[in-house]
Amino acid sequence: MAPKRPTGAGAFPKAVETPAPQPPDSASLYAALDLGTNSCRMLIAQPKGNQFHVVDSFSKSVQLGYGLEGSGHLSRASMNRTIGAMRICREKLKRHGVERMRLVATEACRRAVNGEKFIRQVQNETGLRLEIIQPEEEARLAVISCAPLVSTKTEQLLVVDIGGGSTELVWIDITKVPPRERPRAIMRLHAGFRADPGPFAAAKVVDWISVPLGVSTLRDQFQDVEDDSARFALMSWFFEENLEEFSPYAAAQDRDGFQIIGTSGTVTTVASSFLGLKRYDRTKVDGLRMTSDQIDKVIRDYLALGPAGRRADPRIGRDRQALIMSGSAILQALMRLWPTDRLSVADRGLREGLLYAQMSADGVLEDAPF
């Protein structure tokens, strides 16, 4: 006799419904767009504790400053590429309903004879209002983006932002700030390098400089030098020569308590090569510390590869291979000049600084340790 079939056997199991994640409230969203000499980058984020959560992002190589060194003008082709990228950004902002935003342009638009005219063209064709910011603000935003990476043991801090058209260096003394407060003291610089910190212990900006040499502009200075190694050596020497007006350059510095944080595509590319990543991973790169010997080895490997080898290397790629050696020349000069054999890698920069500044000004970030 066959066993009796249990009631309900063979029935389809009842589905357990998992609610779809709720999209973020558009009223809580902030956007930051950085239009540089090479790239157009945007982040859309919402505050989360003392940090923020990225909701959407965009990044595209537009080469806005291509040919600027020779002509003094933004070319029609580069402006058209950039406006195409800005239209994509506009659609993302519209889709998320973002109302709080800051959209900035840097060195290429500062230097170009037709920079202001281009800004008006962007607004006419996309409805987005770009703002050309000055070097001091660019440096300040780069600094506050790196606040979470500042060690509580740091007393002297050098933040370096290697851009496409310029390089910003900011030297900060935090010896009088209690160790646990040091990252937050850096964040408070969003109000300005000389702003009154109120009742809080202040980070003192000893000096800052914006060198009009970035990965694009430095490369363009030495394009006529055919030998790869000779061109690299000349670029590094020339960049160092442009640091003479930076006051900490000539002064002896104590090795203890000194930290360099580097933020740029050059720094993250070198870090990715050092780690041997087959695919870029921000979680492994951001916050990584490399010694000067490790950095030198990566750069020697780049030189050994030559232009064709660098172009084929997946960590460098076709877009960046033309710029990685000028960026490496800047990086090597900096590591040679100051009393540390370690560099903290920051996969963050102007966009993150813009977000932190907006959120800090609105008081929506929690005042808690990083």
Side-chain angles (χ1 to χ4, degrees):
M1 182 176 175
K4 187 175 181 182
R5 187 179 179 86
T7 304
F12 289 106
K14 184 176 289 187
V16 177
E17 295 183 3
T18 303
Q22 290 293 317
D25 179 7
S26 61
S28 70
L29 295 180
Y30 291 77
L33 184 145
D34 166 22
L35 177 59
T37 303
N38 291 313
S39 303
C40 175
R41 300 185 180 98
M42 185 178 72
L43 286 178
I44 298 173
Q46 63 181 158
K48 187 175 183 180
N50 62 353
Q51 301 282 326
F52 54 76
H53 168 68
V54 175
V55 173
D56 202 350
S57 64
F58 174 79
S59 180
K60 186 174 179 61
S61 173
V62 294
Q63 299 181 56
L64 178 61
Y66 186 80
L68 175 62
E69 193 71 18
S71 69
H73 288 75
L74 303 176
S75 71
R76 182 173 298 178
S78 64
M79 290 191 291
N80 288 340
R81 284 193 301 270
T82 302
I83 287 174
M86 296 293 291
R87 288 195 177 104
I88 298 173
C89 293
R90 177 193 61 194
E91 293 309 310
K92 284 179 175 284
L93 292 167
K94 188 182 296 184
R95 187 188 319 140
H96 291 286
V98 184
E99 294 182 1
R100 295 179 179 87
M101 67 185 79
R102 193 159 180 218
L103 319 176
V104 305
T106 57
E107 186 69 8
C109 290
R110 281 197 296 261
R111 293 179 61 187
V113 173
N114 57 341
E116 291 283 359
K117 182 179 179 181
F118 173 63
I119 296 299
R120 292 192 294 272
Q121 183 181 347
V122 169
Q123 185 170 358
N124 290 338
E125 296 194 26
T126 70
L128 298 180
R129 183 173 298 177
L130 280 167
E131 167 192 0
I132 301 176
I133 60 172
Q134 294 306 306
E136 179 173 340
E137 183 166 16
E138 185 175 355
R140 175 168 57 81
L141 291 166
V143 167
I144 65 173
S145 75
C146 296
L149 301 181
V150 175
S151 168
T152 56
K153 296 178 181 178
T154 296
E155 296 182 344
Q156 301 290 330
L157 174 67
L158 176 65
V159 176
V160 180
D161 181 16
I162 306 172
S166 64
T167 298
E168 279 66 46
L169 294 89
V170 185
W171 192 288
I172 304 168
D173 183 344
I174 45 179
T175 52
K176 295 183 179 179
V177 179
R180 282 178 56 83
E181 289 291 315
R182 286 170 184 173
R184 274 188 288 188
I186 300 299
M187 181 68 78
R188 283 194 284 270
L189 290 173
H190 77 85
F193 283 162
R194 289 169 290 277
D196 181 1
F200 302 106
K204 178 186 176 185
V205 176
V206 178
D207 196 11
W208 72 275
I209 188 173
S210 180
V211 182
L213 294 169
V215 293
S216 291
T217 46
L218 183 58
R219 175 203 60 187
D220 291 348
Q221 293 271 356
F222 295 92
Q223 274 190 321
D224 57 337
V225 181
E226 292 185 7
D227 184 80
D228 205 31
S229 296
R231 184 169 57 249
F232 175 79
L234 286 168
M235 288 190 295
S236 189
W237 164 80
F238 186 63
F239 182 81
E240 182 178 343
E241 198 177 54
N242 278 266
L243 292 177
E244 289 180 343
E245 295 181 9
F246 188 46
S247 62
Y249 170 75
Q253 303 296 332
D254 189 357
R255 186 183 186 87
D256 294 332
F258 184 90
Q259 182 181 10
I260 295 182
I261 299 179
T263 168
S264 72
T266 294
V267 176
T268 56
T269 300
V270 169
S272 183
S273 295
F274 164 67
L275 292 171
L277 300 180
K278 293 183 178 178
R279 177 175 294 182
Y280 186 79
D281 186 343
R282 184 183 190 274
T283 61
K284 293 180 179 178
V285 170
D286 188 48
L288 175 73
R289 299 184 75 192
M290 290 188 295
T291 68
S292 52
D293 286 344
Q294 290 166 340
I295 293 169
D296 284 344
K297 184 182 183 307
V298 171
I299 293 172
R300 286 197 305 271
D301 290 344
Y302 286 166
L303 285 167
L305 283 171
R310 293 194 294 267
R311 192 178 297 112
D313 189 314
R315 288 170 288 271
I316 302 172
R318 299 184 67 86
D319 288 344
R320 185 163 290 279
Q321 75 82 23
L323 305 171
I324 189 61
M325 295 318 298
S326 50
S328 295
I330 293 171
L331 183 56
Q332 193 174 73
L334 295 171
M335 295 304 293
R336 186 170 63 238
L337 294 175
W338 280 290
T340 181
D341 63 354
R342 291 187 181 274
L343 171 81
S344 300
V345 179
D347 183 355
R348 51 187 72 213
L350 203 55
R351 295 175 303 168
E352 288 82 359
L354 286 163
L355 288 172
Y356 279 133
Q358 291 179 85
M359 294 175 185
S360 295
D362 287 353
V364 296
L365 293 176
E366 292 180 8
D367 189 19
F370 286 100

